[in-house]
Amino acid sequence: SKPNKPKNDSKRILRKQIVIAVVAVVIVGLLAAGGWWQYRRIQHGRVIALGRTLLERKDYHQAAISIGRALQINPRDVEATRMMIELTKAINSRQELHYRHMLVQLEPNVVANHLELAECALRYQLPETAEQALANVSEEGKKTAVFHEVAGHVALASKDLAEAESHFAQAIELDPKSEQSQLNLAFIRLQSKDEETRTEARATIEK
């Protein structure tokens, strides 16, 4: 058995070398991956900063390229999505709707996202899309004056004056100082069959 000992030792050494080589490859791979993600993170920060600068300069074409690159690196980036909303709104592009839908998916608990999506849908004469956006607002969010203000405009777009009047009235209850809600309610009540109601509405408008 003694003559076989060198062969056994050689096999053990070879196995150790293989294990060491595998571990080394894994470590190098992890370091490389870490370095790659670090590079991507730095690159992402740079294109975001460039996109912001271009937006401020109103160089929308180049800004779209830069922000688009940021979204390629990280499609779930909230800041880049908001910047794309800002850009598409500035150039009156219907793509604004797409990016507002994206933002709602990224931040579903932010009430303002749903309300701004509803307002955007109204600008493009899509009341059903606006209604769906409002339906997705949380119950707490529906108890705010701004929700009822937007909901009133959505109801108006759907030609539901009674619903619009109700929402504007609730908005005033929640925020009595809101001049816009008071005006919106007054304009609706100008069409009332009750003379006293119409008189009060005119007085509000003429203030």
Side-chain angles (χ1 to χ4, degrees):
S1 60
K2 287 184 179 180
N4 293 330
K5 188 174 181 181
K7 290 183 179 180
N8 292 336
D9 289 343
S10 296
K11 288 180 180 179
R12 281 196 295 272
I13 292 170
L14 180 60
R15 283 196 294 269
K16 286 181 180 179
Q17 289 174 336
I18 291 171
V19 170
I20 291 170
V22 169
V23 171
V25 168
V26 170
I27 291 172
V28 169
L30 290 173
L31 289 173
W36 169 248
W37 284 112
Q38 178 71 3
Y39 166 75
R40 297 273 284 187
R41 187 180 67 79
I42 293 171
Q43 186 185 35
H44 179 263
R46 285 175 178 169
V47 291
I48 282 285
L50 177 59
R52 172 54 61 194
T53 299
L54 292 168
L55 265 182
E56 291 171 355
R57 292 177 183 171
K58 297 185 179 181
D59 186 346
Y60 298 127
H61 177 70
Q62 291 300 322
I65 294 173
S66 184
I67 301 167
R69 178 60 182 147
L71 286 172
Q72 284 181 337
I73 296 171
N74 180 8
R76 297 185 60 79
D77 185 80
V78 171
E79 184 180 3
T81 302
R82 288 187 179 278
M83 289 169 66
M84 196 61 89
I85 288 171
E86 183 180 340
L87 187 155
T88 50
K89 184 176 181 180
I91 63 174
N92 295 316
S93 169
R94 200 181 181 92
Q95 280 294 100
E96 180 189 348
L97 268 172
H98 168 72
Y99 290 107
R100 288 202 179 279
H101 276 294
M102 282 181 57
L103 187 60
V104 161
Q105 292 173 3
L106 293 172
E107 295 181 323
N109 297 323
V110 178
V111 173
N113 292 343
H114 296 279
L115 299 182
E116 288 165 3
L117 171 58
E119 291 176 323
C120 178
L122 286 184
R123 289 201 303 275
Y124 290 103
Q125 300 179 347
L126 297 169
E128 291 183 1
T129 300
E131 288 173 4
Q132 185 58 55
L134 294 182
N136 291 331
V137 173
S138 66
E139 290 305 312
E140 283 302 309
K142 290 176 180 177
K143 297 175 183 177
T144 61
V146 65
F147 170 83
H148 287 292
E149 178 69 24
V150 176
H153 287 292
V154 173
L156 279 178
S158 301
K159 298 182 173 23
D160 190 339
L161 296 184
E163 184 74 7
E165 181 178 4
S166 173
H167 279 299
F168 290 136
Q170 290 180 75
I172 293 170
E173 285 183 16
L174 292 164
D175 184 8
K177 295 181 179 179
S178 174
E179 293 182 1
Q180 187 59 57
S181 294
Q182 291 174 23
L183 284 173
N184 289 332
L185 183 60
F187 277 115
I188 290 176
R189 289 183 172 173
L190 277 178
Q191 303 175 54
S192 172
K193 294 179 180 180
D194 181 71
E195 185 177 348
E196 185 178 347
T197 300
R198 293 198 304 272
T199 300
E200 289 177 358
R202 277 193 295 270
T204 299
I205 294 169
E206 292 169 0
K207 280 183 181 179

